[in-house]
Amino acid sequence: MKLITLDWFIIGGFFLIVLIISIVASKSAGKSKEEYFLAGKSMPWWLLGVSMVATTFSADTPNLVTGFVRESGVAKNWAWWSFLITGMITVFIYARLWRRSGILTDLEFYELRYSGKAASFLRGFRALYLGIFFNCLIMGSVTLAAIKISSILFGLSPLHTVIIASTIVAVYSALGGIKGVIWTDFFQFSIALLGAIYAAYVSLSQPEVGGLKGLLVNDAVIGKLDIVPDFSNTSVLISMFIIPLAVQWWSVWYPGAEPGGGGYIAQRMLAAKNEKHAVGATLFFNFAHYALRPWPWIIVALASLVLFPDLESIKQAFPEINDQYLGNDIAYPVMLTLLSPGWLGLVLASLIAAYMSTISTHLNWGSSYIVNDFYQRFLKPEATEKEMVLVGRASTVVLMLVAGLLSLTVLENATQAFNILLLSGAGTGAIFLLRWFWWRINAWTEIVGMIVATINAFVLVLVVPEGALGNDYIDDFTMKLLIATGVTSVVWIATTLFTKPESEETLKKFVDLIRPSFGWKKFSYERSSFGNSILSVFLGAIGVYSALFGIGNVVYGNLLLGFGLLVIATLSMVQVLNWMKK
């Protein structure tokens, strides 16, 4: 695909701005590990909120949504829309608790809530397990999306794509630390969102599509439009709607939607100026993540069904695509080939921005685990601040190399990576929700839960034959998720009840610092209203879902219903904001 001078000028200008931001941020980032990983705990809510959204606005997310829509329709997105419930719980219950803890990484929590060798092992092991294995799997799936996009738009080989992308992101991430990442996220998000909207506009402008009206009545699209699954189709209803809403949101640990917060979401909350900024950041993130972003991608995905109804039609149009990467998720970059010169540079810059914002966050997050929770904690407690920053920068480069190798050798499509991540954390989510409030949970609860969940994922993915567990009511993957959740939950609950709780001294120190609003009846302290928090969760979820479906119905031409839902969304969010001020 040919790029004109203007395209290259836009892309070059984008890289120049990112480099300048990183260089400026590097001056303060190198002072200490707190500056490098938490920006001195001085970030405002609006900047952190945009950074969270930019991180999840990754290069593989449009591909993932496109794959969902092409395979199973719009309703398949409940696989991730259901995580909004987790997000609202994080906003109104856990954000204040995380910021109140004063820790550097969420893994430090283990030696705050638990004690002894088990707590130390848990912190060190998860630093490597999450910081390297989980983290690199995520970055590998994002880099896989970059490979597919560049093969379509630039004709680059997978190896060349990985080398170029890895070098650029590793350099600017290592330089600026989290402050550089957050400020470049702010810049990159606006470009990424504008590019997604324009891609949707171009898709609708194709003669074969016939605009929005023509798209919605096309035979290839009509069966994919339902936002909520058809209630008469029991199998689809259970797998796509009931299970995600009833089980998945609380049971699964998934990066960016961790029950109770965690990972890079916790890192942003810990970097906030204070508790109110932590709450405001996570609220903005959840609204923008679930309500504002999905529909441009969905429109492109639906239009792709008109122009490229199956994989064979994509292969015929782009015979150079490697069969390893030929899947429904590749339809998104295929649709971008329709862009005209000039605008192409902007959309390519938006995709580069989406890729870089996600990878840079994961690099800094993973590096914080390696430095704070493994290197300093177990290898060199006396390490100087500058030494730890140096180790952080070096580990950033190593993590990028591992992620690149995974994208080249293991992963094949975005849905595959999504499913692996869900199964690897199935059944452990409830632990992360309850450990703040139930005194009985101890370090062995988390150790056993983590081990059993990993074994379950290994057996269900690699040993159980594909399709062996599906039936007329529940598809194969949903059955695997239910089995993994059930087995892991039974084992960790039994472990909790048959092992000793943490010492009274450890529990009291935790309660005195965190002051949870619920549980811990054996300790006396001033509590905030837990009932108000639950009501805020409920109203916040109504507001965001109403906005999501309101925008969708406006797109579908159901204007009365759409604007009615948007009014409900507005009233709900106004009330929530009023409660937050009190």
Side-chain angles (χ1 to χ4, degrees):
M1 198 168 186
K2 287 187 177 181
L3 299 177
I4 65 173
T5 302
L6 179 59
D7 294 323
W8 288 113
F9 180 79
I10 293 171
I11 295 172
F14 166 78
F15 281 123
L16 180 61
I17 293 173
V18 169
L19 182 61
I20 291 172
I21 293 173
S22 299
I23 292 173
V24 172
S26 68
K27 295 179 181 179
S28 60
K31 292 180 181 179
S32 66
K33 68 175 183 178
E34 185 173 292
E35 282 288 345
Y36 191 76
F37 295 121
L38 290 184
K41 298 184 177 181
S42 62
M43 293 287 101
W45 68 268
W46 55 270
L47 193 55
L48 291 171
V50 170
S51 179
M52 292 180 193
V53 183
T55 296
T56 55
F57 203 131
S58 58
D60 67 326
T61 309
N63 291 22
L64 176 68
V65 171
T66 300
F68 280 173
V69 172
R70 287 176 62 89
E71 291 161 10
S72 305
V74 174
K76 176 63 176 176
N77 286 284
W78 280 102
W80 66 279
W81 286 344
S82 64
F83 285 123
L84 170 65
I85 301 172
T86 301
M88 286 294 107
I89 290 174
T90 298
V91 172
F92 296 110
I93 296 177
Y94 294 97
R96 293 181 185 276
L97 305 184
W98 277 113
R99 186 60 184 84
R100 203 173 289 167
S101 71
I103 53 184
L104 185 76
T105 68
D106 59 313
L107 296 189
E108 249 184 269
F109 175 88
Y110 292 122
E111 292 189 300
L112 178 66
R113 172 64 174 79
Y114 314 125
S115 61
K117 292 182 179 180
S120 299
F121 168 79
L122 188 58
R123 180 181 176 183
F125 181 80
R126 284 185 75 83
L128 301 180
Y129 178 72
L130 296 179
I132 297 177
F133 170 70
F134 244 73
N135 197 26
C136 288
L137 183 62
I138 297 165
M139 290 192 293
S141 69
V142 178
T143 302
L144 176 66
I147 289 173
K148 295 186 176 187
I149 291 169
S150 63
S151 67
I152 296 292
L153 299 179
F154 295 111
L156 291 176
S157 69
L159 180 60
H160 287 153
T161 299
V162 169
I163 291 173
I164 295 170
S166 299
T167 301
I168 293 171
V169 181
V171 168
Y172 102 80
S173 300
L175 273 177
I178 192 63
K179 184 176 288 185
V181 170
I182 289 172
W183 276 108
T184 52
D185 280 350
F186 185 76
F187 166 65
Q188 290 167 345
F189 175 68
S190 59
I191 296 177
L193 185 59
L194 179 61
I197 293 172
Y198 184 71
Y201 169 77
V202 171
S203 298
L204 292 174
S205 300
Q206 300 307 304
E208 300 90 336
V209 176
L212 193 55
K213 289 185 178 179
L215 176 68
L216 297 176
V217 297
N218 192 286
D219 291 339
V221 171
I222 290 176
K224 305 286 187 179
L225 292 176
D226 289 341
I227 297 175
V228 176
D230 182 2
F231 279 45
S232 64
N233 189 329
T234 306
S235 175
V236 173
L237 180 66
I238 291 174
S239 298
M240 289 190 186
F241 188 69
I242 294 178
I243 297 301
L245 277 178
V247 178
Q248 188 171 296
W249 70 267
W250 60 263
S251 65
V252 174
W253 188 97
Y254 184 77
E258 301 88 344
Y264 60 79
I265 299 298
Q267 186 185 34
R268 297 300 191 276
M269 291 187 282
L270 293 168
K273 287 182 178 181
N274 52 43
E275 292 177 22
K276 285 188 176 180
H277 282 269
V279 173
T282 48
L283 179 60
F284 177 84
F285 159 65
N286 280 280
F287 183 82
H289 177 61
Y290 292 101
L292 298 183
R293 298 184 321 169
W295 286 103
W297 298 332
I298 291 171
I299 289 172
V300 173
L302 292 171
S304 75
L305 288 166
V306 178
L307 299 173
F308 304 97
D310 51 36
L311 296 182
E312 184 59 34
S313 60
I314 295 177
K315 184 66 174 178
Q316 288 177 0
F318 299 90
E320 70 279 4
I321 296 177
N322 190 318
D323 288 342
Q324 178 185 352
Y325 303 119
L326 183 62
N328 279 301
D329 59 337
I330 206 171
Y332 190 83
V334 164
M335 292 294 289
L336 298 183
T337 62
L338 304 173
L339 298 170
S340 60
W343 282 101
L344 180 59
L346 177 65
V347 176
L348 288 179
S350 76
L351 291 172
I352 295 169
Y355 174 78
M356 292 176 67
S357 63
T358 301
I359 294 295
S360 60
T361 286
H362 280 274
L363 288 173
N364 188 271
W365 167 48
S367 178
S368 72
Y369 283 0
I370 293 171
V371 172
N372 186 66
D373 302 298
F374 189 76
Y375 181 78
Q376 184 190 24
R377 174 64 181 81
F378 297 102
L379 299 183
K380 197 172 182 182
E382 72 281 3
T384 64
E385 294 291 338
K386 288 189 175 181
E387 182 182 348
M388 286 186 284
V389 171
L390 181 62
V391 173
R393 286 173 169 158
S395 60
T396 294
V397 176
V398 173
L399 289 172
M400 190 70 249
L401 289 173
V402 175
L405 287 173
L406 283 175
S407 68
L408 290 170
T409 58
V410 177
L411 299 175
E412 295 182 0
N413 60 69
T415 304
Q416 177 194 41
F418 182 80
N419 289 343
I420 291 173
L421 288 171
L422 283 186
L423 286 178
S424 297
T428 61
I431 300 174
F432 305 119
L433 291 171
L434 295 174
R435 63 188 182 179
W436 298 82
F437 305 108
W438 188 19
W439 64 275
R440 204 65 183 75
I441 289 178
N442 57 52
W444 286 107
T445 303
E446 298 214 31
I447 291 172
V448 171
M450 176 179 61
I451 292 172
V452 174
T454 303
I455 293 174
N456 284 339
F458 177 82
V459 172
L460 292 170
V461 173
L462 301 180
V463 177
V464 177
E466 188 72 25
L469 300 177
N471 55 54
D472 293 338
Y473 298 100
I474 302 178
D475 64 45
D476 182 68
F477 177 76
T478 303
M479 278 299 300
K480 290 180 178 179
L481 183 68
L482 290 174
I483 291 171
T485 298
V487 171
T488 301
S489 298
V490 168
V491 173
W492 77 252
I493 291 172
T495 301
T496 301
L497 297 177
F498 287 103
T499 54
K500 291 183 179 180
E502 300 298 330
S503 68
E504 197 86 359
E505 180 184 4
T506 299
L507 297 177
K508 189 174 188 311
K509 283 182 179 179
F510 175 77
V511 169
D512 287 344
L513 176 63
I514 302 300
R515 304 188 307 280
S517 56
F518 179 75
W520 308 98
K521 292 182 178 180
K522 61 169 66 179
F523 299 110
S524 177
Y525 60 93
E526 186 178 349
R527 306 165 188 261
S528 58
S529 173
F530 189 70
N532 286 346
S533 297
I534 293 297
L535 190 58
S536 296
V537 170
F538 178 72
L539 201 57
I542 288 177
V544 176
Y545 276 136
S546 295
L548 170 65
F549 305 142
I551 295 171
N553 276 281
V554 170
V555 169
Y556 285 179
N558 305 322
L559 299 184
L560 184 62
L561 177 58
F563 285 115
L565 288 169
L566 290 175
V567 169
I568 293 173
T570 301
L571 294 175
S572 299
M573 298 312 294
V574 167
Q575 183 59 54
V576 165
L577 291 174
N578 287 335
W579 285 343
M580 286 175 58
K581 292 178 182 178
K582 296 179 181 180

